[in-house]
Amino acid sequence: MDDHLLGWLRTLDEARLARVLSNRPDAIAAPWPRRLDTLAQRLGNGFAVMEAMRALPLPCLEIAQACLVLGDGVPPDRLARFLDAPVEQVVPWLDVSYDHALAWPDADGGIHLAAAVARWWAAPLGLGEPLDHYLNSWTINNDTLRALARNLGLPAHGSKRRTIIRATEVLSDGERLAALLRNAPEGTERLLADFAWDGPVRDVDGGAFVTLGTPEKWAADHGLLYRPRWEVAEMPREVALSIRGPGYHPPFTPEPPEVPTIPVDPEEVDHLMTLAAPHMVERCATLLDNTAKTPLPLLKTGGVGVREVRRVARETGCDEDETRLLLEICAVARLLAWDEKSGGMVPTDRYDRWRLDEGSARLRLLLSAWWRMERSSLRKVEGKYPTVLGDDRSGAAIARVRRALLGVLSHLPAGTAFADRGSLVRSAHWHAPLLDQALLADCAAAVLEEATLLGLLANDALTDLGRALAGLSAHAGEENDDAVPLVEHDPVLVEVSTRALASVRRSALFGADLTAVVTGPPSTELAELLDRVAERESRGAASVWRFTAESVRGALDRGYDADELLAELGEVGTIPQPLDYLVRDMARRHGEVTVTTVACIVQASDPALLAEIAHNRGLSRLGLRLLAPTVLVSSTPAEPTLAALRENGYAPVPIADTGEIAVRRTRVAGSEDPQNGKLILLPGGQVAEVDTPAHILAEPAPDPHEHARRLLGAHDSAEQSGRTWAVIGRNATRLPTAQQSLLGLVVDRGVRAGITLTDGLTATISHGELRGGTLDAWCEEAGDYLEFPLTEIVEVRGAY
């Protein structure tokens, strides 16, 4: 824990501390901290700091690098001079870093950085370690240090620390270093310039450092270069800054690159959104229906092959881009899963619930999945699309690219579209500088195309749907999350998604030429009805279906009768007489030939024996019927039929499909282990079980103001009545020594453990504190801190 950070947190008022906590929700995640010292530990956590840095724009990171170079406690005015910028321009970006607890001021205004910030840059601003790091190394003995002092024209006597300070003063002074270089061998200035501007670490010829008269040896003898290895040399930070000169200033870009825009018609953008959004919902339902009929096989190497993608696209009427995108979205949304029994990807139980939801809820589930999806479906690698649901090494970076691009688009004025994708990429990199710039440029076109297909982008302008989704970057979740309620149930997104589907058509125009025309995007229910009974001929601004004898027969094959089918069609339009005739004529002819399913047949050469079996009351549960004098059919499968016949005194034998008698040994019950559940195959080859409650409600986000108020009113340290082990040993007398030790770790290290109380109640606890004879610990079941009397704890066990 950084004492400077804790001291600064104690000086904050409630509003400022709440602002810090709202920017760092990781710090108040359950189990939330109870005191400022615990909060400081969370804010300074290395992984949390690096994650928070991803949310900072470029000026904050440029300031952080400058602070690392200038050292801890640098005042803002000196920082501003180093950046060659007015203090008034630097301070607002410092405040952004303060609000994320990645930097903070001390009592004198000096700037301190979180220790983990330095881990992001091995060489901030391309500069090496301070000179003190090299001169205090164990490889530099006193004789070497005196020789360096003589070479620099300094007195060789004095303490080691004093000699290091004198040497640093000389090498940090540009004028004194320039005077020193006048006596250097030819080529020394060029050598040092290469290290100063393209260093600080470079490969070298080790032999040159031990050869008299060479620039390398002269630079090493005067403390300008140091060799950690024979073939590698480094230049200290102070030397590089002196060589760069007083005119050097690191880059500082307080304003984002301008994104050229062009005006667009807002009404046309809104209209295109209302066309694209319902189209994707309807196409998704069609695609999942197709996989329900024909499970989607996977390649041995993982993912869905190109041939299968094209087959699904052809059979569903989607184009290949839509198919690729929807397959991956459905996998992330847990609508599509691997089923071992089917040998392919099939719709999950969640899909059945999704079909029953209203259209806007279905759309939000798809958008939420795309928002956290860690791959780009339409990104080409070396000119080819990657395997659908295959592996992608870029992973979570692609999801951050998606959010960065839409975030920039959301800041453009309403009624405008970006005119240049290159400037859009540069602006996105300014807002998210830790993203790989090459990956950002590589994925931009694909991400924008996907957003257009989903109705988030139209005519290169962000739609209201895209703007609502872009505002949810902080709640996007991760691809492995089963659901993200904060996105799916966001009030703004709910309102916009409802409006995006408001233009769907729920009626059709039936023609005498046996066609049905929907002038606009059809609702999912209407499209499903017409797809069941007619063949779709065209899509777009208007969709056309044609009724044929084969399509009507297909609906009758699925269980409809003529009156039911005509009634459903009549609810969405006026049925012309030719269509009525077609349906009733096909219904009249439907069933002229019948096919009966039987579970098994029973044969015997003696008709009297079969007549006896057919009339045996003990076999009535088999549903036996006499088809011929020597043939009975049973509605029960072969194994139960054989067992029932044997129970009633008969001696049947099973017959194989070849006609031969097949007497087999019975498998031991339980020897098979069928896969009862379905597995979710995520992009990247990850697998997760489907186990989702029917209704997932969003938990309220932690209230930063409430936590700030509580933390400022809390004591700085827990009230302990004695040492942990002594208190537990004296009060938790029901526990053996080993369990007392585990309970002590709950207090001292915050580990998780399960406990059982005298009344049989159990709880999973962590982050405990002792208050007299009571353990005050976080209870996972309650979602809060609870008190447990030590005398009532009868068992403690590890919880992993």
Side-chain angles (χ1 to χ4, degrees):
M1 179 183 65
D2 194 309
D3 291 336
H4 289 291
L5 173 58
L6 178 57
W8 176 67
L9 290 175
R10 288 171 175 161
T11 66
L12 301 183
D13 58 20
E14 181 182 324
R16 185 64 185 271
L17 181 58
R19 194 156 72 239
V20 172
L21 297 179
S22 64
N23 289 321
R24 295 289 301 276
D26 56 286
I28 51 176
W32 33 264
R34 293 190 271 195
R35 297 181 307 280
L36 288 176
D37 56 347
T38 309
L39 175 65
Q41 288 179 345
R42 287 201 180 187
L43 292 173
N45 177 271
F47 291 106
V49 167
M50 297 178 105
E51 194 62 31
M53 287 175 64
R54 299 183 189 278
L56 295 182
L58 184 59
C60 293
L61 300 189
E62 290 173 335
I63 287 175
Q65 289 194 72
C67 289
L68 288 173
V69 168
L70 295 177
D72 207 29
V74 58
D77 55 346
R78 183 185 172 197
L79 173 66
R81 289 195 300 273
F82 185 53
L83 294 172
D84 194 25
V87 176
E88 297 78 15
Q89 203 172 42
V90 174
V91 168
W93 293 112
L94 272 175
D95 286 337
V96 174
S97 298
Y98 295 164
D99 287 344
H100 286 77
L102 300 178
W104 51 87
D106 57 23
D108 299 324
I111 304 166
H112 299 268
L113 295 179
V117 172
R119 299 174 193 166
W120 197 274
W121 296 282
L125 300 180
L127 298 170
E129 298 287 347
L131 189 62
D132 181 83
H133 168 80
Y134 299 98
L135 296 181
N136 271 317
S137 170
W138 64 272
T139 60
I140 304 295
N141 55 34
N142 289 333
D143 292 339
T144 305
L145 199 57
R146 294 190 190 97
L148 172 63
R150 287 192 293 270
N151 290 335
L152 295 178
L154 300 172
H157 59 275
S159 66
K160 180 178 181 179
R161 189 64 201 157
R162 182 59 183 164
T163 304
I164 291 175
I165 292 174
R166 290 170 179 167
T168 302
E169 290 174 352
V170 172
L171 298 178
S172 301
D173 189 329
E175 294 183 359
R176 297 172 74 176
L177 181 59
L180 196 65
L181 289 173
R182 293 192 190 101
N183 300 319
E186 184 179 353
T188 303
E189 292 188 13
R190 184 171 63 254
L191 171 69
L192 297 178
D194 289 341
F195 273 89
W197 295 102
D198 297 320
V201 180
R202 292 175 65 87
D203 293 334
V204 295
D205 177 11
F209 280 80
V210 295
T211 304
L212 292 175
T214 61
E216 289 83 357
K217 180 165 177 54
W218 187 91
D221 290 343
H222 288 76
L224 306 179
L225 294 177
Y226 295 84
R227 281 190 308 153
R229 296 197 306 271
W230 177 261
E231 73 285 356
V232 174
E234 301 177 8
M235 175 175 280
R237 180 178 302 172
E238 293 85 350
V239 176
L241 286 173
S242 296
I243 293 175
R244 290 182 182 183
Y248 166 73
H249 300 284
F252 181 60
T253 50
E255 298 296 331
E258 183 180 357
V259 180
T261 60
I262 55 176
V264 293
D265 183 0
E267 293 185 0
E268 182 180 358
V269 171
D270 195 64
H271 175 66
L272 292 175
M273 175 188 73
T274 61
L275 292 179
H279 174 77
M280 291 304 282
V281 175
E282 185 253 325
R283 289 294 83 204
C284 181
T286 303
L287 183 146
L288 290 169
D289 283 340
N290 180 272
T291 58
K293 298 172 186 174
T294 309
L296 200 62
L298 301 178
L299 300 172
K300 292 182 180 179
T301 55
V304 180
V306 175
R307 184 177 299 176
E308 283 299 317
V309 172
R310 290 175 178 169
R311 177 191 64 78
V312 173
R314 183 176 62 255
E315 294 178 0
T316 59
C318 300
D319 61 35
E320 286 191 34
D321 286 352
E322 289 177 342
T323 304
R324 288 176 175 277
L325 178 60
L326 286 176
L327 282 176
E328 296 192 331
I329 287 178
C330 288
V332 175
R334 309 298 198 268
L335 299 176
L336 194 63
W338 170 259
D339 183 69
E340 190 70 33
K341 184 177 180 181
S342 302
M345 303 283 285
V346 297
T348 65
D349 293 339
R350 181 176 290 186
Y351 169 62
D352 298 331
R353 298 192 295 271
W354 181 79
R355 289 285 297 269
L356 297 176
D357 281 338
E358 62 178 9
S360 61
R362 282 179 265 179
L363 174 61
R364 292 195 300 275
L365 184 68
L366 300 180
L367 294 179
S368 174
W370 180 77
W371 200 225
R372 67 182 187 271
M373 189 169 72
E374 296 180 357
R375 61 182 292 114
S376 175
S377 305
L378 305 184
R379 172 194 174 202
K380 290 187 176 181
V381 179
E382 297 179 356
K384 297 187 299 183
Y385 286 122
T387 303
V388 174
L389 295 178
D391 196 15
D392 194 318
R393 289 176 294 180
S394 300
I398 292 182
R400 290 193 287 270
V401 166
R402 186 179 293 122
R403 296 164 204 157
L405 288 171
L406 263 66
V408 172
L409 290 173
S410 68
H411 290 101
L412 296 182
T416 62
F418 70 90
D420 175 42
R421 193 169 68 220
S423 62
L424 177 65
V425 170
R426 288 190 293 273
S427 183
H429 187 259
W430 185 91
H431 285 89
L434 295 183
L435 280 175
D436 184 284
Q437 197 162 6
L439 178 66
L440 179 60
D442 188 36
C443 291
V447 167
L448 297 175
E449 188 176 351
E450 293 169 12
T452 302
L453 289 175
L454 292 169
L456 306 172
L457 197 68
N459 290 343
D460 292 336
L462 206 61
T463 65
D464 290 343
L465 199 60
R467 203 172 297 275
L469 190 63
L472 298 172
S473 294
H475 310 298
E478 298 180 356
E479 187 176 81
N480 288 333
D481 294 337
D482 285 346
V484 185
L486 291 176
V487 175
E488 296 166 18
H489 302 291
D490 177 71
V492 176
L493 189 60
V494 168
E495 187 273 328
V496 177
S497 62
T498 302
R499 182 161 55 83
L501 296 181
S503 66
V504 298
R505 299 290 185 263
R506 305 185 187 279
S507 62
L509 301 174
F510 295 107
D513 58 348
L514 298 178
T515 59
V517 179
V518 179
T519 57
S523 68
T524 303
E525 295 79 6
L526 177 59
E528 289 175 353
L529 172 61
L530 295 177
D531 282 338
R532 283 196 299 266
V533 72
E535 297 175 356
R536 192 182 300 220
E537 290 189 339
S538 66
R539 306 175 187 274
S543 301
V544 179
W545 282 262
R546 181 171 297 278
F547 295 90
T548 64
E550 291 77 13
S551 65
V552 173
R553 186 180 65 236
L556 297 173
D557 289 342
R558 284 188 284 271
Y560 283 90
D561 59 35
D563 292 335
E564 183 183 6
L565 191 56
L566 289 171
E568 290 195 16
L569 292 174
E571 291 177 358
V572 298
T574 303
I575 300 176
Q577 195 174 50
L579 179 56
D580 185 275
Y581 284 165
L582 175 63
V583 173
R584 294 192 182 279
D585 182 59
M586 290 306 302
R588 179 180 55 80
R589 295 164 51 193
H590 195 255
E592 291 176 340
V593 177
T594 62
V595 177
T596 301
T597 300
V598 297
C600 66
I601 63 172
V602 180
Q603 295 175 286
S605 58
D606 184 359
L609 176 60
L610 279 190
E612 177 189 335
I613 293 174
H615 292 88
N616 189 323
R617 291 185 178 181
L619 299 173
S620 59
R621 66 181 184 277
L622 299 181
L624 298 173
R625 289 184 295 120
L626 196 64
L627 288 187
T630 58
V631 180
L632 281 173
V633 296
S634 172
S635 60
T636 307
E639 291 293 336
T641 299
L642 283 167
L645 288 170
R646 288 165 180 161
E647 288 176 2
N648 284 270
Y650 301 100
V653 293
I655 300 295
D657 294 339
T658 59
E660 298 177 353
I661 295 177
V663 178
R664 302 185 302 268
R665 294 184 179 181
T666 305
R667 290 178 179 267
V668 178
S671 62
E672 296 180 354
D673 185 19
Q675 298 290 331
N676 295 321
K678 292 182 179 178
L679 298 179
I680 292 290
L681 179 71
L682 300 175
Q686 301 180 68
V687 176
E689 291 185 7
V690 179
D691 184 17
T692 307
H695 301 285
I696 301 177
L697 299 178
E699 293 185 6
D703 183 0
H705 289 276
E706 180 183 338
H707 281 283
R709 190 179 311 114
R710 176 184 52 76
L711 286 165
L712 291 175
H715 296 291
D716 286 342
S717 60
E719 298 177 4
Q720 300 286 350
S721 59
R723 293 179 302 163
T724 299
W725 308 102
V727 174
I728 292 176
R730 186 170 58 250
N731 292 277
T733 56
R734 297 174 183 267
L735 298 176
T737 304
Q739 294 185 19
Q740 289 181 353
S741 299
L742 180 56
L743 197 60
L745 294 177
V746 173
V747 176
D748 288 347
R749 300 186 183 178
V751 302
R752 294 175 70 239
I755 62 171
T756 302
L757 304 179
T758 53
D759 56 4
L761 293 178
T762 62
T764 304
I765 62 171
S766 62
H767 300 81
E769 292 182 356
L770 293 176
R771 303 184 186 279
T774 301
L775 174 65
D776 187 1
W778 177 264
C779 176
E780 295 184 6
E781 290 78 7
D784 202 348
Y785 287 98
L786 299 180
E787 292 187 348
F788 302 93
L790 291 173
T791 56
E792 296 183 12
I793 300 176
V794 298
E795 183 188 10
V796 181
R797 59 197 172 276
Y800 305 105

